[in-house]
Amino acid sequence: MATAEQPQIEHSHLAIRGLNLHVAQAGTGELGTVLFLHGFPEIWYSWRHQMLAVAAAGYRAIAPDWRGYGLSDQPPEPEAASYQDLQEDLLAILDALSVPKAFLVAKDFGARPAYDFALHHPDRTCGVMCLGVPFVHGGTSFASLPEGFYVLRWQEPGRAEADFVRYDVKRVVRTIYILFSRSEIPIASEDQEIMDLADLSTPLPEWFTEEDLGVYASLYEKSGFGYPMEMPYRSLHKRQPIEYPKFQVPVFVVMGEKDYVLKFPGIEAILKDGVMAKFAPDLKVTYIPDGSHFVQEQFPDMVNELLLSFLKDHPVA
């Protein structure tokens, strides 16, 4: 389903661990392979700008839809979702495509399996670049945030589903994109649900078109929101931290200065007080002024430049 804007992107399905996972690809890969990992409410399409940039530079771009997302199959037991499954899916994707090792580029919850994969499989990893989420050893506590914090709300079984079902899929994706592009953490009052925090009079971010919204909506109409609520929100407690993590590959974190995630408890300290550097000896952190949680779509040229520089600084042996 390559669109008119992405004629160079090819689409296929791979049989991965009992599921057919959708994979978008571009480029031939003379210089190496870059594996792009999306977050929520995204799918492969959120990496469209970066895929074409790395392909043009001589790399092979691979962007799967996670299990349960987009054009990939739904797992038979969504409530059994785990980060370990995602990590094992990544390994199986690389094996299925005969890729010996790859750069991992991830954002939002996709950063967690990217970091974990790099720690468990340094021999299959060239480097890790994550947008919007630093490496957090042992997880993040949300105890200091109000009950209306969107993650706490969506962790409640059935609550998000009851909230979302009041609207069509396009309206749900639209609202989440608007909320997540702001600099404030989405928090509802006691008499509100998360979907009540924006309405149709609230404009889309200027960098996000109606056409983009239509692509996302069409894919979430297929997948629904059931599994995306299980992964990541209701599976956060299942992630098994490594006792003494130490990255053996280069790690690059890119944060938008107006990304609401910076206001999560402890996140800014992890980046600015040297906490993450204890686990990642070869660490680089860059901030993009005015950058939101969707910095790769908001400022694609800037992110592409940072990404290509990272790839060139670490040539594949």
Side-chain angles (χ1 to χ4, degrees):
M1 50 167 278
T3 69
E5 291 186 17
Q6 292 91 36
Q8 308 99 313
I9 296 178
E10 299 179 351
H11 298 262
S12 62
H13 280 80
L14 300 176
I16 301 293
R17 303 178 59 238
L19 298 173
N20 288 317
L21 300 190
H22 168 252
V23 175
Q25 297 188 67
T28 54
E30 300 93 342
L31 298 180
T33 298
V34 185
L35 185 60
F36 292 94
L37 308 174
H38 68 80
F40 177 79
E42 298 163 302
I43 28 81
W44 75 267
Y45 183 80
S46 63
W47 295 113
R48 59 199 179 279
H49 305 297
Q50 288 69 45
M51 292 182 71
L52 296 179
V54 301
Y59 296 86
R60 181 183 186 183
I62 302 171
D65 287 337
W66 289 117
R67 55 171 54 212
Y69 278 80
L71 298 174
S72 291
D73 282 354
Q74 295 289 314
E77 298 179 44
E79 64 281 357
S82 74
Y83 282 94
Q84 184 64 33
D85 271 333
L86 304 190
Q87 192 183 143
E88 291 177 8
D89 286 351
L90 295 183
L91 184 61
I93 288 170
L94 292 182
D95 288 344
L97 295 175
S98 301
V99 176
K101 61 193 308 186
F103 290 95
L104 306 182
V105 180
K107 77 169 297 280
D108 193 66
F109 84 83
R112 293 176 182 268
Y115 287 134
D116 290 348
F117 185 92
L119 289 166
H120 284 103
H121 303 285
D123 58 317
R124 305 296 297 272
T125 309
C126 302
V128 183
M129 176 177 173
C130 288
L131 312 182
V133 178
F135 175 72
V136 181
H137 184 226
T140 303
S141 172
F142 299 129
S144 63
L145 289 168
E147 171 275 336
F149 173 46
Y150 78 96
V151 172
L152 298 178
R153 287 286 183 90
W154 290 352
Q155 284 179 337
E156 295 181 34
R159 182 146 190 178
E161 291 86 338
D163 184 13
F164 296 171
V165 77
R166 297 181 294 157
Y167 305 104
D168 61 31
V169 169
K170 188 174 183 179
R171 170 78 177 268
V172 173
V173 174
R174 184 183 194 279
T175 299
I176 297 172
Y177 244 86
I178 289 169
L179 297 180
F180 283 11
S181 65
R182 294 172 175 171
S183 60
E184 298 300 322
I185 298 174
I187 296 174
S189 61
E190 288 186 12
D191 60 348
Q192 285 181 313
E193 296 298 331
I194 299 301
M195 288 297 104
D196 297 329
L197 295 177
D199 59 31
L200 289 176
S201 68
T202 310
L204 285 169
E206 59 184 17
W207 42 265
F208 192 71
T209 68
E210 286 290 341
E211 182 183 1
D212 295 331
L213 176 59
V215 174
Y216 282 102
S218 68
L219 295 175
Y220 275 95
E221 282 170 358
K222 177 191 179 296
S223 67
F225 294 102
Y227 184 82
M229 290 299 101
E230 298 294 338
M231 173 57 66
Y233 302 103
R234 296 170 192 161
S235 302
L236 289 171
H237 66 286
K238 300 178 186 177
R239 188 180 179 221
Q240 299 297 318
I242 298 173
E243 191 170 1
Y244 301 108
K246 185 72 76 173
F247 287 94
Q248 300 176 44
V249 299
V251 178
F252 185 21
V253 178
V254 177
M255 297 293 302
E257 287 187 348
K258 294 186 177 179
D259 188 335
Y260 70 89
V261 171
L262 282 172
K263 295 180 178 175
F264 280 16
I267 293 299
E268 198 153 15
I270 287 170
L271 290 166
K272 294 187 175 179
D273 294 351
V275 176
M276 186 172 169
K278 296 175 183 177
F279 307 112
D282 188 354
L283 172 66
K284 179 181 179 182
V285 180
T286 293
Y287 293 86
I288 295 181
D290 296 320
S292 71
H293 192 58
F294 301 106
V295 72
Q296 87 284 7
E297 293 181 282
Q298 181 186 12
F299 297 119
D301 292 342
M302 198 175 301
V303 172
N304 291 350
E305 184 178 341
L306 291 170
L307 170 56
L308 292 173
S309 177
F310 178 65
L311 299 179
K312 291 172 184 175
D313 286 347
H314 303 93
V316 180

